[in-house]
Amino acid sequence: MSDFEERLQKAISRGQKARDAEGEAAGQQKETVEDLRNLHSSLRISVSEHIEGCLKKLCDHFPGFEYSTVMNEDGWGARITRDDINLVAGNNRNLYSRLEMLVRPFSDTHILEVTTKGTIRNKEALNRSNFRFLKEAEVGDLVEIVDALVLEFAEKYSANG
């Protein structure tokens, strides 16, 4: 075998090894993304179930709120709404209150995001977005965030009720 042919074989071999290494790295990255997707799904289920439980309890304490589960392109969670009529000096005025908490869908940012929108008697009371990187997220921390937001809404609603 000539010197050139030997170097050619080595070059081809190096190229094949580089291609194989890239394939392995892409496979590992794909597995990692799939692992993150599975982690997000697991956290989403736990947090959205906790949201549902908290908002149902809130409905028990404030009669008149209607509960609904939310599953759409914006996320998974729950919403409570209430319409009241305020009769002041012969004027009818509708007063709308709601609290919506959602866990956003999986994204390339690899975070778990909980969005909260609250309105009390036609005035925005809460508009928050809390997130944790999936690799650092723990159910306990996320549950505490949900609890704090629901308690904040309950306090504000009862103060304005």
Side-chain angles (χ1 to χ4, degrees), residues 39-51 103 112:
L39 178 59
H40 181 276
S41 180
S42 172
L43 290 168
R44 173 186 53 83
I45 290 169
S46 297
V47 174
S48 62
E49 286 176 353
H50 186 72
I51 289 169
V103 178
L112 185 109

Side-chain angles (χ1 to χ4, degrees), residues 68-79:
S68 62
T69 300
V70 177
M71 287 185 278
N72 59 33
E73 67 277 353
D74 294 331
W76 297 265
R79 170 188 309 128

Side-chain angles (χ1 to χ4, degrees), residues 82-95:
R82 177 179 173 144
D83 286 320
D84 294 314
I85 297 176
N86 188 12
L87 301 173
V88 177
N91 292 332
N92 293 345
R93 184 172 167 215
N94 288 343
L95 299 174

Side-chain angles (χ1 to χ4, degrees), residues 126-144:
L126 294 172
N127 191 356
R128 307 269 170 74
S129 182
N130 294 282
F131 70 92
R132 295 289 183 269
F133 289 104
L134 287 172
K135 291 184 178 182
E136 301 168 2
E138 293 183 17
V139 174
D141 292 341
L142 296 163
V143 163
E144 286 180 25

Side-chain angles (χ1 to χ4, degrees), residues 14-25:
R14 284 192 308 268
Q16 288 174 343
K17 286 180 184 176
R19 182 184 65 210
D20 292 344
E22 285 178 16
E24 282 181 32

